[in-house]
Amino acid sequence: MSLPPEVIAQHGLKPDEYEKIVHHLGRHPNLLELGIFSVLWSEHCSYKSSRKHLKQFPTTGPRVLVGPGENAGVVDIGDGDAVAFKMESHNHPSYIEPYQGAATGVGGILRDVFTMGARPIALLNSLRFGKPSHPKTRWLVEGVVAGIAGYGNCIGVPTVGGEVAFDESYDGNCLVNAFTVGVLRADKIFKGTAAGVGNPILYVGSKTGRDGIHGATMASAEFDENSDEKRPTVQVGDPFTEKLLLEACLELFETDAVVGIQDMGAAGLTSSSIEMAGRAGSGIELDVAKVPRRETNMTPYEVMLSESQERMVLVAKVGREQEVLAIFHKWDLDAAVIGRVTDTGHVVILDGGQIVADLPVKPLTDGAPIYDRPVKRPDWLDAAQAFDPLTVKAPEHLGFALTELLARPTIASKEWVYRQYDHQVRLGGVVLPGAADAAVVRVERSKKGLALKADCNSRFVYLDPYEGARLAVAECTRNVSCVGGEPLGLTDCLNFGNPERPENMWQFAEAVRGLADACRQLDVPVVSGNVSLYNETEGKSIFPTPTVGVVGLVPDATKRMGMGFVESGDLIALLGVTRGELGGSEWLHSQGKTAGRPPRLDVKAELALQRVLRTAARTGLVHSAHDCSEGGLGVALAESCVADAARPLGAVLGAGLNGGLAPHAWLFGEDATRAVISFVPGQLKALEQLCASEAVPFACVGAVGGDSLEIHGLLKVPVAELSKAWREGFTRALQLD
């Protein structure tokens, strides 16, 4: 008997999708079976609108040990060590309930990494909020930051970096992207597979409650005026339990009892167990009556679809059940044998002795609809790209304009954010948050370090999705190179609007094409990632935001490289070519315009610059390196002056450096492939030779010293004013204490 249309619609399924389910089963599903199909066929779990495009990504390379499809990607860093990392979104839950939404986002990405057998050593995040004056923005910022801090600090994993940006396109839908990195042995990687007929399936971690039911479905729909009613779909996290779960899993991984293990994330027990069976080509039998619960009278539907946090499902070797149970009980965690692996190719759900669901695995995992959705280039884009930023009135006082830019919350210091994070726990950090272009953390028992960065300029992607996505990869890898890191791999979090709107789908398709091309051209494979669609409210989409996270290898972590000037008397050089490209720039946005074309990217020049930056950092040729991004050269110079709060340093640059460009375009243009470096005068010749060997334009433009940033003929601003604007801009804009 067919289920009522309104029940099918409540599960986020279209009528034709329901008919496909009936075709796969040869009958109508019961309510539990419908629920299982609905979450596994949701956009969040199945990638049914994006999978076609994601195939373009380069996913292999000499260092790639595990690529996309597992809980996290893994790359080799030599000496038997490897790094597992992944970035995921928790956008919808964080907008509805910012503290728990952000906290459980951190918890989920941590589990994705330690499920692979890795000990997490660092957290980063990428956050987007609406305009600071919006009545909900401050509440969201405070809640999200508190949630990230509350979870990461309690579990003892340092939050070492990230980014925060603001734009009115996020007024109705903030973005919370969490990024975790862990270290493991390259020969001891665990995967999510349910193999071996007869092997027991175990549930471990917290008890199951009713929180988070249909969270995956909620994350696969846009918001409307009734969004607050979805608050019950947001999970509640417990970092102290997660700490126990982490240590128990790592202890278990020292044995050879585990066949496969997976986090119960989106769609809970349903997705974890069935995806494990799908990877192995096996079947499973589960008895929900054996699942530990914290609430009474839970139905099989509720148990299977709950997204309660801090839970894992694992497959052990036959006869090793008691050994596994003993480890988790030792850590005061629930653990139970709830099923077994079969060879039927079906998932059979029992409630005691009664079969309550019987579904073929393959249609659930591989049979979800794959859509080739219509794409349409937006009609407004030609006019936006044709806009000439130089038609906007130039600032009369460049010094005042620079100070205003530094105070804008997207550019200003995020000290208010990161001082709430315990970034020094485990003593792995080499540079403090905000002091360098990328975070650097030590690899234990090694002199090596990891350079970590998350990045995306969504205005560039909005104005040209293909080029904007390429620029995101270039900037992120350049930041890693500034601290001496060699980019090894990339994870992404693709945040876009409703894919059923052709304009949004065009943005997505073009951005993925740009990411894929840039990753191939810059030789950085995509090893993991996440797609988050339907980020819009009442038909208004966010700016397309394909956030990328890059992990790089630093051969010697003791060779620190920050962005701040270090010594008076050091020379300052600009690497790269300045064209004064203001399209999509922060300066233009400050004038009320998001228009023009984003900067051009020359991949050959980008690769050469990054090689120079890595060599200069590793060989000690430079004292500081800072790429030019938001706010252009002017902001890069100012940030280098004020980065060290205890010892700010001025700088003096010569006259006529703008070479005929409009002064504000030269100062605030956001041309790609540039960096500001400082160095002792005795290294000038060596740096000139290094840059010449790579054909990287090199211009010695001034020297460090004094109490002002002075560019002869253009501006002179006391460093104290620059520092005040930069350090107080974020809290002033959001009226934070």
Side-chain angles (χ1 to χ4, degrees):
M1 179 178 176
S2 177
L3 292 164
E6 61 271 19
V7 172
I8 296 168
Q10 287 166 2
H11 282 74
L13 291 164
K14 303 283 197 299
D16 63 319
E17 292 176 333
Y18 180 77
E19 290 305 316
K20 288 179 181 177
I21 293 171
V22 173
H23 174 76
H24 282 304
L25 298 180
R27 59 178 173 81
H28 292 284
N30 62 35
L31 185 62
L32 171 58
E33 293 170 332
L34 182 75
I36 290 172
F37 264 105
S38 75
V39 291
L40 287 175
W41 280 20
S42 69
E43 193 72 60
H44 190 80
C45 291
S46 73
Y47 291 5
K48 56 191 176 186
S49 296
S50 59
R51 193 182 301 183
K52 169 183 179 288
H53 300 279
L54 301 180
K55 293 177 181 178
Q56 300 174 72
F57 286 153
T59 58
T60 60
R63 290 186 180 268
V64 176
L65 300 177
V66 177
E70 279 292 339
N71 290 294
V74 183
V75 296
D76 192 337
I77 59 171
D79 305 315
D81 293 322
V83 177
F85 60 99
K86 190 179 183 182
M87 181 160 50
E88 279 215 356
S89 63
H90 233 222
N91 304 335
H92 287 66
S94 297
Y95 185 77
I96 296 170
E97 178 22 70
Y99 183 95
Q100 289 297 346
T104 52
V106 172
I109 198 65
L110 283 166
R111 291 193 300 278
D112 280 341
V113 166
F114 73 72
T115 298
M116 303 299 294
R119 178 175 288 281
I121 63 169
L123 289 161
L124 292 88
N125 51 71
S126 176
L127 312 176
R128 294 290 186 281
F129 300 101
K131 59 181 180 290
S133 61
H134 189 277
K136 206 166 185 177
T137 296
R138 174 177 168 172
W139 176 72
L140 287 168
V141 170
E142 290 181 318
V144 165
V145 171
I148 292 170
Y151 209 99
N153 294 357
C154 290
I155 198 172
V157 179
T159 300
V160 298
E163 59 160 3
V164 187
F166 297 83
D167 186 89
E168 65 179 342
S169 75
Y170 305 104
D171 281 351
N173 196 130
C174 64
L175 301 184
V176 176
N177 296 172
F179 178 15
T180 297
V181 179
V183 176
L184 69 163
R185 298 298 298 171
D187 60 354
K188 203 145 190 179
I189 299 171
F190 293 85
K191 297 183 178 180
T193 181
V197 175
N199 279 335
I201 300 172
L202 290 91
Y203 171 115
V204 299
S206 291
K207 289 181 170 65
T208 292
R210 290 188 171 92
D211 50 321
I213 293 173
H214 273 297
T217 306
M218 179 268 290
S220 304
E222 62 188 75
F223 285 146
D224 55 30
E225 68 276 6
N226 299 315
S227 295
D228 283 345
E229 296 176 6
K230 299 176 181 178
R231 193 175 300 272
T233 64
V234 179
Q235 313 95 319
V236 177
D238 180 355
F240 299 104
T241 298
E242 178 118 337
K243 173 63 173 173
L244 300 177
L245 184 60
L246 162 63
E247 299 300 339
C249 286
L250 293 179
E251 180 177 334
L252 176 65
F253 295 151
E254 293 300 314
T255 74
D256 64 347
V258 180
V259 174
I261 183 168
Q262 182 148 326
D263 162 44
M264 289 192 220
L269 180 57
T270 291
S271 65
S272 55
S273 60
I274 295 173
E275 286 173 3
M276 290 175 74
R279 292 190 189 106
S282 63
I284 55 172
E285 182 180 282
L286 302 176
D287 189 344
V288 294
K290 298 178 179 179
V291 171
R293 308 178 192 188
R294 67 168 183 263
E295 299 185 47
T296 59
N297 301 319
M298 289 186 71
T299 65
Y301 181 101
E302 291 172 326
V303 173
M304 289 299 297
L305 271 64
S306 167
E307 293 185 12
S308 295
Q309 295 291 284
E310 293 85 39
R311 304 179 302 157
M312 298 277 199
V313 63
L314 66 88
V315 175
K317 294 178 181 177
V318 172
R320 305 292 292 274
E321 299 94 326
Q322 292 307 314
E323 183 179 349
V324 175
L325 292 171
I327 289 173
F328 286 94
H329 289 155
K330 168 190 157 184
W331 288 95
D332 290 329
L333 293 164
D334 282 282
V337 177
I338 62 168
R340 63 186 180 91
V341 179
T342 70
D343 61 359
T344 64
H346 275 235
V347 52
V348 177
I349 310 298
L350 304 172
D351 185 12
Q354 180 183 0
I355 295 176
V356 291
D358 185 347
L359 299 170
V361 171
K362 197 169 182 61
L364 288 165
T365 56
D366 300 332
I370 298 178
Y371 293 121
D372 185 5
R373 295 198 183 277
V375 298
K376 182 179 184 294
R377 191 175 189 274
D379 294 335
W380 52 262
L381 190 55
D382 285 340
Q385 290 183 344
F387 180 80
D388 181 0
L390 291 177
T391 61
V392 176
K393 183 181 178 181
E396 294 181 13
H397 303 287
L398 291 173
F400 181 70
L402 174 58
T403 305
E404 282 194 323
L405 273 180
L406 285 170
R408 289 178 65 79
T410 293
I411 289 177
S413 169
K414 307 307 185 295
E415 184 179 357
W416 181 90
V417 175
Y418 61 69
R419 75 185 180 197
Q420 299 183 54
Y421 302 152
D422 189 345
H423 50 265
Q424 294 181 318
V425 66
R426 299 184 64 86
L427 300 177
V430 174
V431 293
L432 295 175
D437 280 14
V440 181
V441 294
R442 296 180 183 88
V443 176
E444 290 184 1
R445 300 179 301 278
S446 169
K447 71 175 185 178
K448 293 177 294 193
L450 299 174
L452 315 170
K453 181 64 176 179
D455 224 326
C456 180
N457 188 320
S458 56
R459 284 198 301 277
F460 290 167
V461 185
Y462 172 73
L463 293 169
D464 188 330
Y466 176 81
E467 290 296 340
R470 291 177 73 229
L471 288 163
V473 178
E475 182 178 348
C476 204
T477 52
R478 189 185 319 127
N479 280 289
V480 164
S481 294
C482 276
V483 299
E486 175 195 354
L488 301 181
L490 179 145
T491 184
D492 60 54
C493 204
L494 308 181
N495 308 275
F496 288 79
N498 185 342
E500 297 169 54
R501 302 182 195 277
E503 292 82 2
N504 289 346
M505 199 63 216
W506 179 83
Q507 290 177 330
F508 180 87
E510 285 295 287
V512 169
R513 186 170 69 90
L515 289 177
D517 284 354
C519 287
R520 272 190 294 270
Q521 293 159 349
L522 296 172
D523 196 23
V524 53
V526 179
V527 300
S528 60
N530 171 242
V531 177
S532 176
L533 303 178
Y534 294 94
N535 288 290
E536 61 181 74
T537 299
E538 297 181 9
K540 183 180 179 182
S541 174
I542 62 163
F543 274 179
T545 311
T547 309
V548 297
V550 170
V551 173
L553 179 63
V554 179
D556 186 350
T558 64
K559 294 184 177 177
R560 296 169 174 81
M561 182 56 56
M563 71 180 189
F565 294 143
V566 175
E567 293 290 343
S568 290
D570 280 357
L571 298 180
I572 301 169
L574 173 62
L575 308 184
V577 177
T578 299
R579 303 182 182 88
E581 296 179 281
L582 287 169
S585 67
E586 187 72 18
W587 177 81
L588 190 62
H589 189 239
S590 74
Q591 305 304 302
K593 282 282 186 181
T594 300
R597 282 190 174 274
R600 290 163 281 176
L601 176 65
D602 181 331
V603 173
K604 183 178 178 181
E606 183 68 43
L607 285 167
L609 173 65
Q610 292 191 29
R611 286 193 294 267
V612 165
L613 289 168
R614 288 196 294 271
T615 300
R618 294 174 181 181
T619 58
L621 287 176
V622 295
H623 273 159
S624 70
H626 187 22
D627 89 315
C628 299
S629 53
E630 286 89 354
L633 174 60
V635 165
L637 288 165
E639 288 176 335
S640 294
C641 288
V642 304
D644 186 345
R647 192 167 173 262
L649 288 167
V652 179
L653 280 71
L657 295 173
N658 54 311
L661 294 173
H664 72 294
W666 179 76
L667 265 180
F668 307 135
E670 297 182 7
D671 316 55
T673 319
R674 297 181 303 158
V676 171
I677 60 172
S678 67
F679 52 93
V680 297
Q683 299 289 12
L684 175 59
K685 186 174 181 180
L687 282 165
E688 287 178 329
Q689 290 175 343
L690 173 61
C691 289
S693 71
E694 294 283 1
V696 171
F698 175 96
C700 194
V701 295
V704 178
D707 58 6
S708 296
L709 172 59
E710 180 176 2
I711 304 174
H712 286 305
L714 296 184
L715 60 81
K716 183 177 181 180
V717 186
V719 170
E721 288 186 21
L722 298 175
S723 182
K724 181 178 177 63
W726 188 64
R727 295 191 184 284
E728 298 179 3
F730 186 87
T731 52
R732 186 180 299 127
L734 291 159
Q735 298 182 333
L736 296 163
D737 296 332

